[in-house]
Amino acid sequence: MAQGTVQVTHTGTSRWRRRTGEYPSLAAALEAAGDGDVLSVAPGTYRENLVLGRAVTLRGADGAAGSVRIAPADGVALVVRASATVQDLHVEGQDAAAPALLVEDGAPELTGLRIVTRSAAGLEVRGAARPTVRRVSVDNPAGVGIAVLDGAGGVFEECEVVSAGQSGVSVRGGARPRLERCRVHHASGAGLSVTGEGSGLEALGCEVYEIKGAGVQISSRATAHLTDSSVHRTSSDGVTLDTDAVLTLSDCDIHDVPENGIDLRSRAVLTLTRSSVRRFGRNGLSVWDPGTRVDANRCEIHDSTGDYPAVWVSDGATAVLDSCRVHDVPDALFVLDRGSRADVVDSDISQVRNTAVSVSDGATAQLDDCRVREVSTGAWFRDHGSGGTLSGCTVDGAQTGVIVTKGADPLIERCTVTSPAEAGFYVSAQGRGTFRGCTVSGSGGYGFHVMDGCRTLLSRCRTERCARGGYEFGENDGPVAEECTSDESGTVRTAGAERTAAPPPSAPATVGLLSAVPVQSPAQSPVPPREPRAAGPGAPDAPSPAPDARGADEVLGELDALVGLDSVKREVRTLTNMIEVGRRRVEAGLKAASVRRHLVFTGSPGTGKTTVARLYGEILASLGVLERGHLVEVSRVDLVGEHIGSTAIRTQEAFERARGGVLFIDEAYALSPEDSGRDFGKEAIDTLVKLMEDHREAVVVIVAGYTAEMERFLTVNPGVASRFSRTITFRDYRPGELLRIVEQQAEEHEYRLAPGAAESLLRYFTALPKGPAFGNGRTARQTFESMVERHAVRVAALPEAGTEELTLLYPEDLPELP
């Protein structure tokens, strides 16, 4: 029953024939109304299931959405089957198997509606219907927000999906709606979902955010075109395309997503124009499978929040980047697998922590007129069958300009490498490659460094101001160098024989055919550049373990032999297993989970934190994650200086000493005392956070200290807590474990416990006060040392002492309880 009345204004052929009538229910008013009539509904709640089968206007009398509620107990609240007009109503539905508002036919206009429901769909459009929907909000935490199905269409302007238990907007069955300036948020499925052959969506000026799933999902031969739209704050990928899906993004912004910015698979095609992908946790663009293709023009991909390449192309997919920018990412472009290809034209790649362009497993990359700067490695062609062309590119401020390894065979022409810290071009491990008209200047190492067994061709190349020399070639099976020049003179080596060459200062040194190259003097023996670690989609390939590193099993065995620390051993083994499995997955061409290796150790002094840190470094070295695995132990006094600026220098020096190993900061909380004031400890923390970010693969940092104090320390700097993967708690040793430490010490020093001594030690450790100064393992060692001293005093007084007297420790040798 209605709680209000319905006024119907009937139209006529002339003004004087217009008439008005009032009805007690909407059903009665609709029965009396004809095409063109206006139904003004008084405020109230109407528990009726309505069907609009005529071209009438149904509106709230006062024009305020919410004052008129259409709220039946079940079924569809409102069905529209004609070109009617519906304005300013509040529609509620409670049927989980039916929509709240259903448009089945005609071209109705729906304006200013508020749909609050727990239905299968808030608003559903079917079949031949082509509605115009303006300023309609849908709040449906139980189902789909807006569903457009079975060939339907329509225009949705300034609409909002406030919440959805499934997709915010679902398009399927050949439907093709258009969204203009709409907002979709707080959906538990995809924000926009388009699926099925013939289905399509056009969105202009829309925003999709706070989605528990993918922001936009296009699949199964569907198409979509988004213009001037944004997708952000999703729990999964920003945009996904699958199974022959086609999507065009123009002037769009994809940002703040924890997974891939855009993920394409199974022959999907994406055209990306003047758009940005930023602050993504995995890949900015992830492109998989034969036939899958991305064409990006004037786009920007930047500010990764994870440890993955910005652009990932694999399994035979293709990516084209034209006039794009990729910057502030761990790695820029990775191309893997035979048939995979990336073409990059007139683009900028900068501020890359590891490798700008990596080509492996038979893939191909073509870069034309690109600019690469502030990277670790400009380009790395990794293995047999991998290749492509770099043409007219510049690499500035890299560790190494271009690396070619393991049979890879690229063509590098007219490329310039400026100011590399190590080599300009480095070829090793049977790498090949052709270098034509390339230039290296200002290198901290060699210009061209080609190792033994690398059949490389250099033609008309030039080096200038290279610290170690312009060219360094291997002794055997070296490269062929044709008309190559350098600004230096020195020893020239040709086919194994040496002669002295000193061309006039005005004439450059010339490298002739068959490896005639200037080299350094014996005192300046060649040092190859550190090869940057290859990064798969999950984690970088590790460098080879240090030659003298113990095996992981041996180090883990020593860890297992430590007394107690069961939970610590489990944590370390878990980290070790994750790293090892990640390495195997990368070798198998799979993505590996990112493992942050920095740790927090909490617990009392003497619980084995330093020992475990040392073993942890050795384990990482044995797995090839760290170059050396050595331990550098520091505390506040080693990091904090007495005046402004000195703290940063001390911290950097400590970090450099630990490069390739573990930096262990004991009592790290002392860097930020509670009454810090103008204390310089904060400068040490800020410097350390930046170094950990800039050199995340070079050093593992472990901070240690009392549990409560370390919890406070982690809150001092917003970047501190995010740099450490996990906290490992070292609990206090139990009396029985302290006894075992004493027994180990005795055995190591060739002593034995006499009968009754073990029981006395157990009682001693049980009664020992456990205050803040209690040293745990250190207390056990000190107790043993005290017993040895008291034993010495006792035995020295004996006129004669046999082996038993010299080795047995008795209960009376125990020190007094403090």
Side-chain angles (χ1 to χ4, degrees):
M1 294 296 293
Q3 294 178 355
T5 59
V6 184
Q7 185 181 78
V8 180
T9 300
H10 302 278
T11 61
T13 56
S14 60
R15 291 176 59 86
W16 64 270
R17 294 182 61 186
R18 293 170 62 88
R19 65 193 189 283
T20 300
E22 289 192 358
Y23 301 86
S25 69
L26 278 169
L30 288 171
E31 182 68 25
D35 290 347
D37 286 349
V38 177
L39 288 74
S40 298
V41 186
T45 299
Y46 297 81
R47 306 287 184 185
E48 303 177 61
N49 300 93
L50 303 181
V51 177
L52 296 186
R54 298 185 181 94
V56 299
T57 296
L58 180 65
R59 69 186 184 190
D62 59 1
S67 64
V68 178
R69 296 173 61 230
I70 312 299
D74 54 26
V76 180
L78 176 60
V79 178
V80 182
R81 293 174 178 163
S83 298
T85 299
V86 184
Q87 299 175 344
D88 303 323
L89 300 181
H90 181 112
V91 180
E92 296 183 11
Q94 303 296 331
D95 196 328
L101 195 160
L102 173 63
V103 183
E104 289 187 325
D105 204 352
E109 294 187 11
L110 311 179
T111 304
L113 305 184
R114 184 182 179 195
I115 302 172
V116 179
T117 183
R118 297 191 66 85
S119 303
L123 169 59
E124 184 173 305
V125 183
R126 292 181 184 169
R130 299 290 186 272
T132 298
V133 186
R134 296 187 180 94
R135 298 184 302 281
V136 170
S137 70
V138 179
D139 186 349
N140 183 18
V144 174
I146 298 174
V148 189
L149 317 172
D150 305 332
V155 176
F156 297 77
E157 299 176 358
E158 299 180 28
C159 295
E160 181 176 12
V161 176
V162 175
S163 73
Q166 299 174 34
S167 297
V169 175
S170 176
V171 180
R172 53 189 173 87
R176 303 188 71 85
R178 174 183 171 89
L179 276 58
E180 298 182 5
R181 302 179 303 283
C182 294
R183 294 195 302 160
V184 178
H185 53 94
H186 294 89
S188 295
L192 305 178
S193 174
V194 189
T195 184
E197 188 167 8
S199 299
L201 172 70
E202 187 173 358
L204 173 64
C206 296
E207 184 179 13
V208 179
Y209 62 99
E210 295 294 353
I211 305 297
K212 292 182 180 178
V216 177
Q217 186 175 61
I218 317 296
S219 61
S220 303
R221 301 181 182 274
T223 63
H225 187 170
L226 274 64
T227 303
D228 193 24
S229 297
S230 66
V231 178
H232 57 106
R233 300 205 302 272
T234 66
S235 69
S236 182
D237 298 331
V239 177
T240 64
L241 286 80
D242 200 354
T243 315
D244 300 291
V246 178
L247 173 64
T248 300
L249 296 177
S250 301
D251 300 293
C252 291
D253 188 11
I254 315 298
H255 65 94
D256 293 287
V257 295
E259 297 292 328
N260 300 302
I262 305 175
D263 183 82
L264 298 82
R265 299 171 188 259
S266 303
R267 303 173 303 282
V269 176
L270 170 68
T271 302
L272 199 62
T273 306
R274 297 181 306 277
S275 296
S276 66
V277 182
R278 55 194 173 95
R279 295 200 295 271
F280 45 89
R282 195 172 286 267
N283 307 124
L285 287 176
S286 179
V287 195
W288 301 73
D289 304 324
T292 306
R293 180 184 177 93
V294 169
D295 285 277
N297 181 265
R298 289 170 289 171
C299 294
E300 187 173 8
I301 304 171
H302 61 104
D303 288 309
S304 167
T305 60
D307 296 318
Y308 302 85
V311 180
W312 175 267
V313 184
S314 66
D315 294 308
T318 300
V320 178
L321 279 64
D322 188 350
S323 304
C324 293
R325 293 182 61 211
V326 182
H327 61 91
D328 293 283
V329 294
D331 299 278
L333 171 63
F334 268 51
V335 194
L336 303 91
D337 306 319
R338 189 170 302 279
S340 298
R341 180 180 180 87
D343 292 302
V344 188
V345 181
D346 189 24
S347 295
D348 290 274
I349 302 174
S350 63
Q351 295 174 323
V352 178
R353 292 191 290 273
N354 299 311
T355 304
V357 179
S358 172
V359 186
S360 61
D361 302 318
T364 302
Q366 169 109 22
L367 274 71
D368 294 301
D369 302 315
C370 293
R371 297 157 294 280
V372 180
R373 60 185 176 83
E374 296 180 53
V375 302
S376 180
T377 302
W380 191 347
F381 297 88
R382 295 181 180 274
D383 46 31
H384 182 74
S386 304
T389 303
L390 303 186
S391 179
C393 297
T394 60
V395 181
D396 185 21
Q399 285 289 112
T400 305
V402 176
I403 296 176
V404 182
T405 55
K406 299 180 182 178
D409 193 11
L411 169 63
I412 317 293
E413 56 184 3
R414 296 179 290 103
C415 290
T416 300
V417 179
T418 306
S419 303
E422 295 167 349
F425 297 92
Y426 179 61
V427 186
S428 69
Q430 287 75 52
R432 300 174 69 86
T434 300
F435 301 84
R436 294 176 181 164
C438 295
T439 301
V440 181
S441 62
S443 171
Y446 296 109
F448 291 82
H449 190 173
V450 184
M451 304 296 285
D452 284 347
C454 299
R455 298 181 179 276
T456 302
L457 172 63
L458 281 69
S459 176
R460 299 184 302 281
C461 294
R462 166 82 180 166
T463 65
E464 300 172 351
R465 304 185 312 280
C466 296
R468 289 189 173 275
Y471 303 85
E472 172 66 13
F473 294 164
E475 296 283 350
N476 304 308
D477 294 326
V480 173
E482 302 173 343
E483 303 178 49
C484 295
T485 61
S486 173
D487 65 349
E488 64 182 1
S489 62
T491 302
V492 177
R493 185 173 60 215
T494 305
E498 291 190 354
R499 61 183 176 82
T500 301
S506 59
T510 300
V511 184
L513 190 64
L514 297 177
S515 306
V517 298
V519 296
Q520 296 297 309
S521 65
Q524 295 173 299
S525 57
V527 178
R530 292 192 303 272
E531 293 189 2
R533 289 172 245 194
D541 290 345
S544 300
D548 56 349
R550 293 191 292 171
D553 291 340
E554 183 180 351
V555 184
L556 286 169
E558 182 176 339
L559 176 66
D560 288 336
L562 296 177
V563 173
L565 305 177
D566 293 339
S567 62
V568 174
K569 295 170 185 176
R570 285 195 299 270
E571 290 278 4
V572 173
R573 279 195 174 274
T574 298
L575 284 169
T576 304
N577 292 338
M578 289 180 67
I579 293 168
E580 173 63 16
V581 172
R583 181 185 65 79
R584 293 182 186 179
R585 285 177 59 85
V586 170
E587 290 175 353
L590 301 171
K591 291 187 176 183
S594 175
V595 180
R596 294 185 182 274
R597 301 184 297 267
H598 306 304
L599 301 174
V600 179
F601 285 178
T602 65
S604 303
T607 47
K609 295 187 290 293
T610 306
T611 300
V612 173
R614 174 181 59 79
L615 295 176
Y616 183 57
E618 286 197 63
I619 291 168
L620 294 184
S622 69
L623 294 174
V625 174
L626 291 176
E627 293 179 4
R628 296 173 58 193
H630 63 295
L631 181 74
V632 173
E633 184 177 359
V634 296
S635 60
R636 175 186 166 88
V637 69
D638 303 298
L639 302 179
V640 179
E642 293 79 20
H643 54 81
I644 295 175
S646 64
T647 295
I649 294 172
R650 287 191 181 188
T651 304
Q652 289 171 347
E653 289 175 346
F655 197 89
E656 282 302 315
R657 292 198 305 275
R659 183 176 290 274
V662 174
L663 179 63
F664 182 81
I665 306 176
D666 197 15
E667 297 181 346
Y669 53 82
L671 295 174
S672 179
E674 293 186 84
D675 56 346
S676 56
R678 293 174 56 87
D679 187 82
F680 292 132
K682 185 176 184 300
E683 183 182 353
I685 296 173
D686 294 341
T687 303
L688 183 66
V689 167
K690 186 176 189 306
L691 289 169
M692 291 170 68
E693 179 65 23
D694 294 345
H695 307 281
R696 62 175 59 190
E697 304 299 335
V699 175
V700 166
V701 178
I702 298 176
V703 291
Y706 289 108
T707 301
E709 285 83 348
M710 290 305 297
E711 289 175 356
R712 178 181 58 80
F713 169 74
L714 292 175
T715 65
V716 169
N717 183 303
V720 170
S722 65
R723 296 297 185 273
F724 294 93
S725 63
R726 62 180 68 200
T727 297
I728 298 179
T729 300
F730 289 68
R731 62 170 179 77
D732 289 348
Y733 288 114
R734 299 186 180 92
E737 292 169 339
L738 294 173
L739 171 60
R740 285 173 55 196
I741 294 174
V742 172
E743 290 174 337
Q744 287 181 349
Q745 292 281 310
E747 182 178 356
E748 181 180 343
H749 293 86
E750 297 185 340
Y751 285 89
R752 291 183 297 121
L753 296 180
E759 291 77 4
S760 297
L761 273 166
L762 198 59
R763 290 192 294 272
Y764 177 85
F765 288 131
T766 301
L768 197 64
K770 308 297 191 300
F774 180 63
N776 284 288
R778 193 175 304 124
T779 297
R781 289 188 292 273
Q782 290 170 349
T783 299
F784 169 73
E785 291 167 0
S786 295
M787 292 181 73
V788 169
E789 291 174 1
R790 293 167 70 90
H791 167 269
V793 171
R794 178 172 54 79
V795 173
L798 298 176
E800 292 183 4
T803 303
E804 187 169 297
E805 287 81 4
L806 292 171
T807 58
L808 282 178
L809 298 174
Y810 286 88
E812 53 264 33
D813 294 324
L814 271 167
E816 298 292 332
L817 280 169

